[in-house]
Amino acid sequence: FFWRQASALYTRSDSTPTPACRTIMSNWVALYDRASDVAEQVTQLSAQRDRAIRNYGNTAAATSKLDRELKVLEGLTRQLEQGLAEASRSSSITEKETERRGRLIAHLQSQYSTVRAKMSQQGPIRNELFMGGGSEAYDEDDMTRGMATSALLQHQDRQVEEQDRMLEGVGRIAASLKQSAVTIGDVLDDHNDMLDDLGEGMDGANQRLRHQTRHVEHVNQKAKSGGTSQNSTQCKALSLYRRHKGACKQ
């Protein structure tokens, strides 16, 4: 159908297409058909890439293939422009056909520009994500290079949430350590109180020991002055010492 339309427009009212004219027309139409196929492929790849972006998936493969197809489309569009300019200069086609072909080329260029602009818009946004709006491009690693911007934002959100959970865990551990420190402090206070009580008990025992020692010495002296036998005195002193020793153990 396209060929019949193009042939009709190529044919002047007073003549039939020459062989050279037919060759030029056939070559341009074939080139345009190829460019249209590439443009359709670009549209499909762009849609696949958009779906991956919405689903926060990895867009590396689609982006790489889309970029290659865009370069092919750019080259084919340039060739179509050159072929159209050559056909127009040689008067091989009518003015109306020239305008129609110009619109077809413009449509292909519009498709190219739209998709390319959509891909280019991600550059500054990604730099801001990595460098806070820095002017220099950030050299991404293999993990993030294939991510779409929205997927990268989601990835960073998950990292922030994970860091928040880790900080909450650290906070809980710190609170537990604080409670343990308070408990240990209370135990130490109890031990200090017990040591104080033990010290007071030891002081009391020492005082009783000194008192009993003086008492023994007094009894010994009294026994000597009263004529009591030395053995009896020693027995009483030993008995008093044993009672005092038993009291100290208690």
Side-chain angles (χ1 to χ4, degrees):
F1 176 75
F2 178 83
W3 171 258
R4 288 196 300 270
Q5 282 190 328
S7 298
L9 291 171
Y10 264 106
T11 306
R12 294 180 178 271
S13 58
D14 55 350
S15 62
T16 59
T18 63
C21 178
R22 289 176 179 174
T23 300
I24 294 175
M25 180 171 57
S26 178
N27 291 340
W28 196 96
V29 170
L31 190 63
Y32 176 78
D33 286 342
R34 183 184 174 193
S36 297
D37 292 339
V38 174
E40 183 177 357
Q41 182 70 13
V42 165
T43 301
Q44 294 176 358
L45 290 173
S46 180
Q48 293 176 6
R49 185 172 178 273
D50 290 342
R51 285 194 296 271
I53 290 174
R54 288 192 299 270
N55 296 328
Y56 305 106
N58 193 310
T59 61
T63 299
S64 178
K65 189 172 183 180
L66 179 59
D67 184 69
R68 290 196 301 268
E69 293 298 323
L70 282 172
K71 291 179 180 178
V72 173
L73 179 60
E74 183 182 20
L76 292 174
T77 303
R78 190 179 299 112
Q79 293 180 39
L80 288 172
E81 286 181 321
Q82 294 173 354
L84 180 60
E86 181 179 353
S88 179
R89 285 193 302 269
S90 63
S91 300
S92 300
I93 57 176
T94 63
E95 182 178 353
K96 185 176 181 181
E97 175 63 10
T98 301
E99 293 176 354
R100 190 185 71 86
R101 292 190 178 190
R103 289 192 297 270
L104 294 176
I105 295 174
H107 178 69
L108 294 175
Q109 291 174 335
S110 176
Q111 287 181 283
Y112 169 85
S113 300
T114 300
V115 176
R116 180 62 74 182
K118 185 186 297 184
M119 295 179 63
S120 300
Q121 286 174 357
Q122 295 185 358
I125 298 175
R126 295 180 77 86
N127 288 340
E128 290 178 3
L129 292 176
F130 285 106
M131 304 182 63
S135 57
E136 297 181 358
Y138 178 80
D139 187 14
E140 300 183 38
D141 55 23
D142 294 336
M143 184 182 70
T144 61
R145 188 174 293 114
M147 290 185 178
T149 302
S150 57
L152 183 59
L153 284 170
Q154 184 71 8
H155 175 69
Q156 291 187 344
D157 288 341
R158 288 194 297 268
Q159 286 186 326
V160 171
E161 292 175 357
E162 182 64 23
Q163 290 175 356
D164 290 341
R165 286 193 293 270
M166 292 175 63
L167 289 175
E168 291 176 357
V170 171
R172 288 192 295 270
I173 293 174
S176 178
L177 290 175
K178 180 181 178 181
Q179 184 61 39
S180 298
V182 172
T183 302
I184 293 173
D186 294 338
V187 173
L188 290 176
D189 291 339
D190 293 339
H191 288 176
N192 289 331
D193 293 339
M194 294 172 64
L195 290 173
D196 291 339
D197 294 340
L198 181 60
E200 293 176 357
M202 291 297 296
D203 292 339
N206 289 332
Q207 290 177 2
R208 290 191 296 272
L209 180 60
R210 286 192 295 269
H211 175 71
Q212 294 295 338
T213 301
R214 287 193 298 268
H215 182 66
V216 169
E217 291 175 352
H218 174 71
V219 170
N220 192 21
Q221 292 175 0
K222 185 177 179 181
K224 288 181 181 181
S225 61
T228 307
S229 65
Q230 186 176 359
N231 290 335
S232 177
T233 302
Q234 290 177 351
C235 289
K236 290 181 179 180
L238 181 59
S239 177
L240 290 172
Y241 174 75
R242 288 176 175 173
R243 290 200 301 270
H244 173 72
K245 186 175 180 182
C248 289
K249 289 182 177 179
Q250 293 176 356

